[in-house]
Amino acid sequence: MSRKIYFCGSIRGGRQDADLYAKIIAKLQSYGTVLTEHVGGPMGFIEKELEKGDKFIHDRDMAWLESSDVIVAEVTQPSLGVGYELGRAVAMDKKMLCLFRPSPGKYLSAMIGGLTERPNIVIKNYAEEEFPKILEEYFASL
């Protein structure tokens, strides 16, 4: 059985990291099926997604989240949607890896950073070139 991976990254909150999301998703595909590969897609693809409507997107994504085996979230770009997805994932007791790239004046939300006591949740500060190794180590530990 293939592992189902739910990747979270900012869509409406800002697409500054879209290229990085695509790289992370490409690497994640070696560990299982990425249910949300559209998150790393180009803006034209995202615009097509948005045409489906908010209710459709919410219900589909929540079904994917519930069916997933693990959540990987890039949380550097603040996003209400990603925060919501992570809150729901915590309530479902999902395994979760959160990736954050620190920089001057940019801080991880305490609502994510404060999850360190939960055994299913791993939070990693990283530089972009480090994500392949972090993913390798994380998935080897599952």
Side-chain angles (χ1 to χ4, degrees):
M1 176 177 77
S2 178
R3 180 183 288 131
K4 294 180 185 175
I5 303 167
Y6 189 100
F7 177 77
C8 303
S10 177
I11 295 177
R12 295 184 190 186
R15 298 295 293 160
Q16 297 90 326
D17 289 337
D19 290 341
L20 174 59
Y21 299 162
K23 292 175 191 173
I24 293 171
I25 289 165
K27 181 69 175 167
L28 286 173
Q29 289 170 332
S30 65
Y31 301 107
T33 301
V34 180
L35 302 173
T36 54
E37 64 183 347
H38 65 277
V39 175
M43 199 57 210
F45 184 79
I46 296 300
E47 288 168 353
K48 290 281 186 203
E49 271 292 294
L50 297 176
E51 290 174 8
K52 295 176 181 175
D54 290 350
K55 180 168 178 21
F56 173 86
I57 292 169
H58 173 274
D59 294 350
R60 179 202 60 198
D61 288 8
M62 288 302 99
W64 282 343
L65 186 69
E66 193 164 342
S67 74
S68 68
D69 299 305
V70 63
I71 315 303
V72 175
E74 211 303 334
V75 296
T76 306
Q77 175 63 39
S79 166
L80 291 171
V82 171
Y84 176 79
E85 290 167 326
L86 296 180
R88 295 291 298 267
V90 167
M92 294 176 198
D93 202 30
K94 295 287 186 177
K95 294 176 186 148
M96 188 184 320
L97 171 63
C98 294
L99 302 170
F100 179 74
R101 294 183 330 279
S103 63
K106 194 169 244 186
Y107 305 97
L108 179 62
S109 167
M111 301 311 291
I112 296 169
L115 294 169
T116 56
E117 300 290 318
R118 294 182 171 260
N120 284 358
I121 300 172
V122 175
I123 301 166
K124 292 282 191 182
N125 289 346
Y126 77 109
E128 185 172 336
E129 64 275 5
E130 297 172 326
F131 84 81
K133 179 88 170 138
I134 291 169
L135 294 178
E136 179 183 329
E137 291 172 357
Y138 180 72
F139 282 96
S141 74
L142 295 181

